[in-house]
Amino acid sequence: MKIFAIGMNYAAHNQELQRLRVGELRSGIGTLKRPDEPVIFTKADSAILNQGKPFFIPDHLGRIDYEAEVVVRICRLGKNIAQRFAHRYYDAVTVGIDFTARDLQKKASEAGQPWTICKGFDGSAAIGEWIPKEKFMDIQGIHFHLDINGKTVQEGCTSNMLYKVDEIIAFISQFFTLKTGDLLYTGTPAGVGPVKIDDHLEGWLEERKVLDFNCK
């Protein structure tokens, strides 16, 4: 199983991430335009955190941020997939959390280094209950949100993605053979922030709660 993830796929988060990196409080920083190509990174399969298991915050990695995302499950083998056929290659969606070691990410970005450690450490890919995609009228019209301790901290809609799901699948399949069970984290909207011990996280697709776990 492979875990693919997309960075910088919501304009408002791009501005937010730039502020986090430079410590700037002014608005209007970062790009509202989509990158020339999707920003792709991967996580190890040991990053998966499922079945409501707790997330043990790794205190040696510094600040750990939540990033709630819609996740797509690949359902068939595919290579060099045309965008018009990409919808045939996934069968279910859920909410996941792309946990990010923010201090390490800032250092890596400043040094022009990859995000492998800050994004791919053990337990960094929380995953919720799968919902068949047929339950939704449009994959690009799904509202989702994340609650922490009963308060909504992040919300978005897949209509605001800079690169749509089918575009991403077509792009990735030029370089990697997609296989049944592979996962695609499609990017996070604005509202990311740090987690702490005893936080209770709940992820929602529309009115369905699909993710529920605690931080330890």
Side-chain angles (χ1 to χ4, degrees), residues 100-139:
T100 302
R102 191 67 71 198
D103 297 334
L104 293 183
Q105 185 188 39
K106 184 175 184 290
K107 291 180 181 179
S109 296
E110 290 172 348
Q113 297 174 348
W115 292 354
T116 305
I117 294 176
C118 67
K119 288 284 194 178
F121 58 90
D122 287 356
S124 64
I127 196 77
E129 173 190 355
W130 293 106
I131 305 296
K133 69 177 183 180
E134 291 78 12
K135 297 291 185 181
F136 305 96
M137 291 184 62
D138 182 1
I139 192 75

Side-chain angles (χ1 to χ4, degrees), residues 142-161:
I142 300 175
H143 291 84
F144 62 102
H145 68 273
L146 174 69
D147 293 353
I148 297 183
N149 303 325
K151 178 182 178 181
T152 298
V153 296
Q154 198 174 13
E155 53 189 333
C157 181
T158 55
S159 63
N160 293 323
M161 291 168 58

Side-chain angles (χ1 to χ4, degrees), residues 6-39:
I6 312 303
M8 301 174 64
N9 205 28
Y10 285 82
H13 173 62
N14 295 348
Q15 292 185 312
E16 172 183 65
L17 185 59
Q18 184 68 12
R19 292 194 296 272
L20 288 170
R21 285 176 179 168
V22 302
E24 177 61 71
L25 297 178
R26 290 183 291 109
S27 61
I29 304 175
T31 179
L32 292 174
K33 299 178 181 179
R34 75 180 194 170
D36 292 337
E37 293 181 340
V39 177

Side-chain angles (χ1 to χ4, degrees), residues 72-86:
V72 172
R73 183 177 68 189
I74 301 299
C75 64
R76 61 191 296 186
L77 185 72
K79 174 72 174 176
N80 292 321
I81 301 165
Q83 185 177 326
R84 67 183 183 277
F85 298 130

